[in-house]
């Protein structure tokens, strides 16, 4: 994992450099880009009594100042061009327990583990870009 300040996002590949975002032939691309709220990560860290960098969660984007909708089908516009559609909750995996005992459980309530999205419109995103919830 690496932390970067900008990235290209595409319909077929998700975030450039992240093989998990590639849309498989015939696939729906339901997990191209993952987002997590900074406040949710902070609450989970408080619960487990640890300070672990957010990117260890392996989410693609850390969101601040926005309560991510917990509804499939909601669209998020990022920056000038990128549009993502929420497809489902990102379930915390067993790797979270390796990072800190109890972390998986701390990320389970209220979509704290984040949201999975598919790319509807690609483009460039950067740290500080505004994220807007679009009406469907």
């Amino acid at each position: 994992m690496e932390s970067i300040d900008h990235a290209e996002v595409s319909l077929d590949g998700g975030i450039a450099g992240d093989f998990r975002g590639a849309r498989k032939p015939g696939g729906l691309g339901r997990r191209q880009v993952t987002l997590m709220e900074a406040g949710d990560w902070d609450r989970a860290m408080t619960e487990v009594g640890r300070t672990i960098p957010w990117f260890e969660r392996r989410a693609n984007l850390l969101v601040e100042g926005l309560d991510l909708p917990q509804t499939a089908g909601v669209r998020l516009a990022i920056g000038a061009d990128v549009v993502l559609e929420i497809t489902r909750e990102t379930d915390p995996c067993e790797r979270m327990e390796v990072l800190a005992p109890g972390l998986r459980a701390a990320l389970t309530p209220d979509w704290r583990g984040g949201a999975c999205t598919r790319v509807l419109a690609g483009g460039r995103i950067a740290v500080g870009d505004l994220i807007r919830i679009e009406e469907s």
Side-chain angles (χ1 to χ4, degrees):
M1 295 297 297
E2 65 179 316
S3 182
I4 56 177
D5 62 0
H6 66 278
E8 293 295 324
V9 179
S10 70
L11 293 172
D12 292 328
I15 293 183
D18 179 14
F19 72 92
R20 289 179 189 89
R23 192 177 285 204
K24 296 177 177 99
L28 301 174
R30 295 182 335 145
R31 195 183 199 289
Q32 287 188 289
V33 179
T34 56
L35 299 91
M36 181 180 61
E37 293 177 42
D40 285 344
W41 182 252
D42 293 342
R43 280 186 284 286
M45 289 297 95
T46 297
E47 284 184 24
V48 298
R50 299 282 304 274
T51 304
I52 301 169
W54 73 271
F55 52 80
E56 291 293 337
R57 172 69 181 101
R58 295 189 174 177
N60 295 123
L61 303 175
L62 183 68
V63 176
E64 294 182 272
L66 175 72
D67 186 16
L68 285 172
Q70 298 177 0
T71 307
V74 173
R75 294 179 178 190
L76 306 172
I78 305 175
D81 301 313
V82 173
V83 178
L84 306 175
E85 178 183 37
I86 294 176
T87 58
R88 62 184 176 91
E89 178 179 4
T90 306
D91 296 320
C93 67
E94 60 278 349
R95 182 179 183 283
M96 297 302 100
E97 286 304 298
V98 173
L99 292 175
L103 182 54
R104 187 175 189 181
L107 290 171
T108 300
D110 297 321
W111 289 44
R112 274 193 196 169
C116 295
T117 66
R118 89 178 44 144
V119 179
L120 299 181
R124 180 183 166 100
I125 58 174
V127 170
D129 277 353
L130 182 66
I131 301 176
R132 302 166 312 282
I133 299 171
E134 290 193 333
E135 298 297 323
S136 353

